[in-house]
């Protein structure tokens, strides 16, 4: 392949979904409905939490930030995907691709940290109910969200800056519906060892560690419930943790399956399907 410097790279081509041309209308409608549901539903959550004083609690404080993150997370990839499906224009500018990747990583990591903060909030509420108001003060909730933003921005920059210094070959076709970091590295003619090391290190910091904290929190919650089992207690715990657990299962399940257990056959198609699960379905 012909060597090209990144300064001469003007655009990439996003292949999108591996679907037949006659099926694009159906998938376009499906993804548009899911995206509008995600945006309107999460905006409604934020509005309700703002206007109802009874919802000014730590749990709903974290939920409002998670709702905003989910709107942003979907908006990074889905609108461009819908435009490409409708116009059949697969190109994306080089700067737009790098920016999309940055914000995709930013909101992915922010989701991880917010889900971890929510798990800790549920742990305190169920395992230490008498000390809940003294532990989960406003300053601690604000600190947890602020640290989540700072760590997410740092993680996104740690991937974006090294990528911007890579050179790309003549083939600039990305077999995905957004600018995925792994797909971009495969197009590079430069040495990507540093980028791969950053992916591994950041993956441990922003995926493995938060997941371990979530599992530890729910392990303690389960142990607390089992100490004094009652139908009312189990129902109350499930009502406060059920939706959070389902999101954690969908979100981390697809990410782990995608990045830790890649398929050997039809890997690109399977990667795209798995990506839809945590970029479109989970926020919805």
């Amino acid at each position: 392949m012909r060597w090209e410097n990144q300064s001469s790279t003007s655009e990439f081509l996003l292949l999108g979904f591996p679907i037949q041309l006659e099926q694009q209308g159906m998938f376009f409608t499906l993804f548009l409905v899911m995206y509008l549901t995600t945006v309107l539903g999460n905006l409604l959550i934020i509005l309700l939490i703002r206007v109802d004083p009874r919802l000014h609690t730590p749990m709903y404080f974290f939920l409002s930030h998670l709702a905003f993150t989910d709107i942003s997370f979907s908006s990074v990839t889905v609108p461009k995907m819908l435009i490409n499906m409708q116009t059949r224009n697969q190109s994306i500018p080089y700067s737009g691709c790098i920016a999309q990747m940055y914000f995709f990583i930013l909101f992915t990591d922010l989701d991880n940290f917010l889900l971890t903060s929510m798990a800790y909030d549920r742990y305190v509420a169920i395992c230490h109910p008498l000390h809940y108001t003294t532990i989960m003060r406003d300053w601690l909730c604000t600190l947890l969200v602020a640290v989540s933003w700072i760590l997410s921005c740092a993680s996104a920059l740690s991937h974006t800056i090294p990528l911007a210094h890579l050179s790309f070959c003549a083939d600039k076709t990305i077999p995905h519906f957004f600018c995925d970091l792994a797909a971009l590295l495969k197009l590079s003619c430069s040495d990507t060892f540093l980028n791969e090391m950053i992916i591994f290190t950041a993956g441990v910091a922003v995926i493995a560690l938060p997941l371990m904290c979530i599992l530890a929190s729910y392990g303690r919650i389960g142990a607390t419930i089992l100490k004094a089992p009652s139908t009312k207690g189990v129902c109350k715990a499930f009502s406060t943790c059920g939706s959070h657990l389902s999101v954690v299962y969908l979100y981390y399940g697809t990410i782990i399956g995608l990045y830790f257990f890649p398929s050997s056959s039809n890997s690109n198609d399977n990667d795209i399907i798995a990506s839809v699960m945590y970029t479109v379905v989970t926020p919805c």
Side-chain angles (χ1 to χ4, degrees):
M1 290 185 292
R2 182 169 55 89
W3 181 284
E4 278 192 19
N5 187 271
Q6 75 273 7
S7 60
S8 63
T9 302
S10 59
E11 64 181 17
F12 293 96
L13 294 178
L14 297 171
L15 289 186
F17 288 93
I19 55 178
Q20 300 296 327
L21 187 61
E22 58 271 13
Q23 296 177 323
Q24 285 202 358
M26 179 184 66
F27 279 96
F28 174 84
T29 303
L30 175 64
F31 290 132
L32 177 61
V33 170
M34 294 183 70
Y35 176 66
L36 292 177
T37 302
T38 298
V39 173
L40 296 177
N42 282 296
L43 282 176
L44 181 61
I45 289 174
I46 295 172
L47 178 62
L48 288 174
I49 293 173
R50 288 282 185 177
V51 300
D52 193 341
R54 294 172 300 177
L55 301 181
H56 293 174
T57 62
M59 180 176 72
Y60 289 104
F61 174 77
F62 291 125
L63 183 60
S64 64
H65 283 274
L66 184 67
F68 171 78
T69 303
D70 282 341
I71 293 173
S72 305
F73 186 42
S74 290
S75 298
V76 169
T77 57
V78 178
K80 177 61 177 174
M81 175 188 69
L82 294 174
I83 291 173
N84 289 358
M85 293 177 69
Q86 188 69 13
T87 63
R88 297 188 178 90
N89 180 15
Q90 299 174 316
S91 65
I92 181 172
Y94 172 82
S95 58
C97 188
I98 299 299
Q100 186 187 59
M101 191 203 72
Y102 170 80
F103 286 107
F104 179 82
I105 296 174
L106 168 65
F107 291 116
T108 300
D109 295 346
L110 190 56
D111 251 349
N112 291 331
F113 293 124
L114 288 176
L115 289 172
T116 306
S117 299
M118 294 176 73
Y120 176 72
D121 171 72
R122 292 300 83 206
Y123 157 72
V124 176
I126 295 175
C127 298
H128 305 283
L130 299 180
H131 301 284
Y132 180 74
T133 55
T134 58
I135 295 176
M136 298 303 298
R137 295 181 180 272
D138 291 344
W139 68 266
L140 178 60
C141 297
T142 303
L143 178 64
L144 288 173
V145 172
V147 170
S148 297
W149 273 97
I150 293 171
L151 292 177
S152 300
C153 289
S155 174
L157 284 174
S158 71
H159 293 291
T160 307
I161 294 176
L163 180 73
H165 289 83
L166 295 179
S167 298
F168 294 93
C169 303
D171 183 13
K172 299 181 180 63
T173 302
I174 302 175
H176 221 303
F177 64 91
F178 67 94
C179 292
D180 181 56
L181 176 58
L184 285 170
L185 292 181
K186 291 179 181 178
L187 299 180
S188 175
C189 294
S190 305
D191 183 11
T192 59
F193 176 76
L194 175 62
N195 303 78
E196 292 168 357
M197 288 300 299
I198 293 174
I199 290 175
F200 176 79
T201 305
V204 172
V206 303
I207 296 178
L209 291 180
L211 179 58
M212 290 172 62
C213 293
I214 291 173
L215 294 177
S217 297
Y218 278 106
R220 294 295 300 274
I221 290 173
T224 301
I225 295 173
L226 291 176
K227 287 180 181 178
S230 66
T231 304
K232 183 179 179 181
V234 172
C235 290
K236 184 177 181 180
F238 183 78
S239 66
T240 58
C241 303
S243 59
H244 182 257
L245 271 175
S246 63
V247 170
V248 168
Y249 174 76
L250 279 174
Y251 188 74
Y252 281 100
T254 52
I255 288 180
I256 291 172
L258 180 60
Y259 292 106
F260 291 91
F261 301 100
S263 58
S264 57
S265 60
N266 299 324
S267 58
N268 285 337
D269 293 354
N270 292 334
D271 289 352
I272 291 173
I273 295 171
S275 297
V276 169
M277 285 298 296
Y278 72 88
T279 59
V280 181
V281 177
T282 303
C284 183

